[in-house]
Amino acid sequence: MSDENLLPNNATPQEQAIEASTARLAGVPVPIRDLWNPDTCPVDLLPYLAWALSLDAWKPYWPESVKRQRIRDAIAIQRKKGTAQSVRSAVAAFGSSVALREWWQKTPKGDPHTFEVTLTLGANAPGDGDFQADIINEINRTKPVRSHFTLTAGLSASGGVGVQGVARTLTYKRLTLTEA
């Protein structure tokens, strides 16, 4: 028995043929580290990586940056699921920010087990209703089960005002008119 062949001495011809035909597969490079890394995984394989990390939601129309960030944060969100921090992390994975106030942080105190969410969509996040619904659904999946929330959504944008000045030289010439 050689080091390359793991079949026993009494292997059937069919088993030997299968071993010989699959021996070439050992030479095919499989970049496992790249496939399990959300930064280096090919875009068309990201849904499978998300499934392997037990992401609850995945939409094909999300921007690639959102998909990769959701995969990066998947384990941390699953570990803290049911806490306010998990809600913040889930919203941050969508490229948005959130201000969260629980019932005991309000003045006067609110109804027990309620909280307010102020959602600010980032400049690169799509502003359509489907994307916002996805964020709301993710909040529902990661919040404590007994808690209820109210949502206020906004959009964050930045821009600049440009001031441009142009100098133009003017030449004045006095005209003298005489009657002829």
Side-chain angles (χ1 to χ4, degrees), residues 59-93:
K59 302 293 182 183
Y61 57 83
W62 290 345
E64 181 182 341
S65 61
V66 170
K67 291 177 182 178
R68 292 187 186 278
Q69 190 60 44
R70 297 257 311 138
I71 293 171
R72 271 186 224 107
D73 296 342
I75 294 173
I77 290 171
Q78 291 291 346
R79 282 183 184 160
K80 297 177 183 177
K81 205 167 195 175
T83 64
Q85 183 58 38
S86 70
V87 173
R88 288 184 185 96
S89 299
V91 173

Side-chain angles (χ1 to χ4, degrees), residues 29-177:
V30 180
I32 297 293
R33 289 185 191 270
D34 292 341
L35 294 176
W36 279 93
N37 184 346
D39 297 323
T40 58
C41 183
V43 176
D44 54 334
L45 298 179
L46 285 176
Y48 303 105
L49 182 56
W51 172 80
L53 294 175
S54 187
L55 275 176
D56 294 330
W58 186 265
K59 302 293 182 183
Y61 57 83
W62 290 345
E64 181 182 341
S65 61
V66 170
K67 291 177 182 178
R68 292 187 186 278
Q69 190 60 44
R70 297 257 311 138
I71 293 171
R72 271 186 224 107
D73 296 342
I75 294 173
I77 290 171
Q78 291 291 346
R79 282 183 184 160
K80 297 177 183 177
K81 205 167 195 175
T83 64
Q85 183 58 38
S86 70
V87 173
R88 288 184 185 96
S89 299
V91 173
F94 281 96
S96 303
S97 62
V98 65
L100 194 135
R101 282 189 354 167
E102 296 193 56
W103 65 275
W104 50 268
Q105 294 172 321
K106 298 179 189 177
T107 305
K109 290 185 179 182
D111 294 332
H113 310 298
T114 60
F115 61 98
E116 292 177 353
V117 176
T118 304
L119 174 68
T120 305
L121 293 174
N124 295 331
D128 62 345
D130 292 337
F131 190 74
Q132 291 179 16
D134 294 338
I135 294 174
I136 293 168
N137 290 337
E138 193 61 27
I139 291 172
N140 278 323
R141 276 191 283 279
T142 56
K143 71 174 181 65
V145 176
R146 67 180 177 188
S147 297
H148 303 282
F149 68 95
T150 57
L151 175 78
T152 305
L155 182 64
S156 170
S158 63
V161 176
V163 178
Q164 185 176 14
V166 177
R168 182 175 174 195
T169 59
L170 298 174
T171 305
Y172 293 102
K173 186 172 185 181
R174 184 174 291 240
L175 297 175
T176 307
L177 299 174

